[in-house]
Every structure is written in C-alpha cells, then in structure tokens.
Amino acid sequence: MPRTPEQYEAMRLATRTKIQTAAMQLFVRQGYGSTNVQHIADQAGISTGLLYRHYKTKDQLFEELVQFAMAGLETLIVKFQTSDEPAEELARFANEVYLDLSSGDDLGHLLLLMTQSFFSTETDGWKAALKQIHTDLLQATAELIIQGQRQGKLREGNAFEMAQYFFSSIQGLAMMKMMLEEKFSMPSRSLLTLVFEKEGETL
C-alpha cells in the first residue's frame, strides 16, 4: 500500500529532526571545525546522500540551528516585555531552565551552540545579530526586574547587573553539564533566582 503525502511529510520531518539532533550534539561536543557531514550522517544513522537532500552544506545546517536558538530567545524577550507579573515570570523561566538542565541536553546544547557560533563565525553581520539579541535579552530582563522592584517583590539593586549574573549562571551551568556529563549535579532550583529574591522570600 503506497504511503500518503502526510506519511511522507512525517518521515521527512523525522529525518530532519534526527539530522539536527545529531549535528547539535557533534557541534557542541567536538566543535564545528572538527565535525564533517559524514560524522553527522553516522551520528544520525543515515546516509550522506539522504543528509544532502535536506541540507546542501554543513554551514546551512549550522546556521539553521543557530537561527532556531535565536528564535527561542526572541520569544523569551517578547514574553518578558509583555509580562505584568515580573516575579512570577522569572520564577516560571527559572523552573523551565532547572527542569531542562536537570533532565536533558537540549537547552545546554542551544546555549553553547550560540556561544560557539559567535566565536567561530567570520561574518560580522552574523556576530552583530547574536550580540544584539543577547543585549536585547539582558535589557528585557533588567526591565522586568525593575518592574518587580517597583512592585516590592524583587530585591533592590542594579537590575542590569542582576540580569547579567542570572544568564551568566545559566550559561555556566550549561557548559559544566556538557563538560562533566554524568558527573554533573544540577544545583538546587532556589539558587537560580537567589540574585533577585528579597531576603526571607523565595520565587
């Protein structure tokens, strides 16, 4: 019985996801320069011919992964900019980060991929885009913290410095998770938001 167009599309998407997952793991663990198309195909369990049907070059695959990560940050920025519950919004995000870093590798891979892309790319426009989205994220987070301070729900202090500390902590944990692998132990959830919390209160 021939497959339906829907079945073919599901197969195509499944293969594409396998390629992306394999590439993400290899780019993060052994570096972009040390990863070639054959490595990615082997990791995904497919032929190089099938991989080339989905991506013409390794660069195209790498850029798509970075764009996916950036789109996730753009969504987070909008969420922070439109929230009227700053303390609750930061707590929800911290919970997501804690669960992602505790139970899987996806978030860590995405964060490290963007860092890697910033230092490995030779395109000034691409670097500028990465720098801008991180600047926008820190600014949106700082404004959210200021809103929470005005509501009396968050600790007083320099909001931009708090935002930098918060995301630096997340980035550092992602790096430690990749380096230590099974020896990594995720710190308690409460430590993630300690920088924002008022004394005697928890988010």
Side-chain angles (χ1 to χ4, degrees):
M1 184 175 180
R3 293 190 176 96
T4 65
E6 290 78 13
Q7 289 173 321
Y8 276 115
E9 178 63 12
M11 290 171 62
R12 189 188 72 82
L13 291 175
T15 300
R16 201 172 181 88
T17 298
K18 283 169 63 175
I19 294 170
Q20 292 169 348
T21 301
M24 181 84 75
Q25 292 171 346
L26 292 171
F27 288 149
V28 169
R29 290 179 177 157
Q30 64 186 41
Y32 176 80
S34 299
T35 300
N36 60 37
V37 170
Q38 186 65 61
H39 295 150
I40 297 169
D42 290 345
Q43 180 79 2
I46 62 174
S47 68
T48 55
L50 181 55
L51 191 152
Y52 279 124
R53 287 187 203 171
H54 292 268
Y55 297 98
K56 294 180 180 179
T57 65
K58 182 180 74 168
D59 287 350
Q60 182 189 12
L61 173 53
F62 184 75
E63 289 186 9
E64 183 173 301
L65 290 172
V66 175
Q67 287 170 350
F68 174 77
M70 290 175 66
L73 290 187
E74 289 170 353
T75 299
L76 181 62
I77 289 167
V78 171
K79 189 180 292 187
F80 280 5
Q81 289 174 334
T82 56
S83 176
D84 56 3
E85 297 181 327
E88 293 81 358
E89 193 64 58
L90 288 168
R92 280 193 291 269
F93 177 65
N95 285 335
E96 291 174 9
V97 169
Y98 178 79
L99 291 173
D100 285 347
L101 289 178
S102 296
S103 60
D105 294 331
D106 290 350
L107 176 62
H109 283 163
L110 287 171
L111 291 173
L112 295 180
L113 186 76
M114 280 194 291
T115 301
Q116 190 179 99
S117 67
F118 182 82
F119 290 107
S120 65
T121 185
E122 297 178 358
T123 306
D124 289 340
W126 192 244
K127 279 192 173 184
L130 288 165
K131 184 176 181 180
Q132 187 61 56
I133 197 165
H134 280 85
T135 301
D136 292 345
L137 176 60
L138 290 175
Q139 189 59 46
T141 307
E143 290 170 3
L144 193 65
I145 294 169
I146 291 170
Q147 186 182 349
Q149 290 170 336
R150 288 173 178 160
Q151 293 176 0
K153 294 182 177 181
L154 298 177
R155 180 194 297 269
E156 293 299 318
N158 186 304
F160 195 82
E161 289 179 359
M162 290 181 180
Q164 286 187 104
Y165 184 88
F166 179 55
F167 282 102
S168 295
S169 298
I170 295 170
Q171 186 78 23
L173 287 169
M175 187 173 295
M176 281 293 176
K177 182 176 176 65
M178 295 303 106
M179 290 174 61
L180 298 179
E181 296 180 328
E182 70 278 357
K183 293 183 179 179
F184 175 77
S185 177
M186 184 65 186
S188 66
R189 151 67 179 80
S190 61
L191 287 176
L192 285 177
T193 53
L194 191 61
V195 66
F196 311 129
E197 293 171 359
K198 298 183 72 174
E199 285 191 34
E201 299 181 13
T202 58
L203 294 185

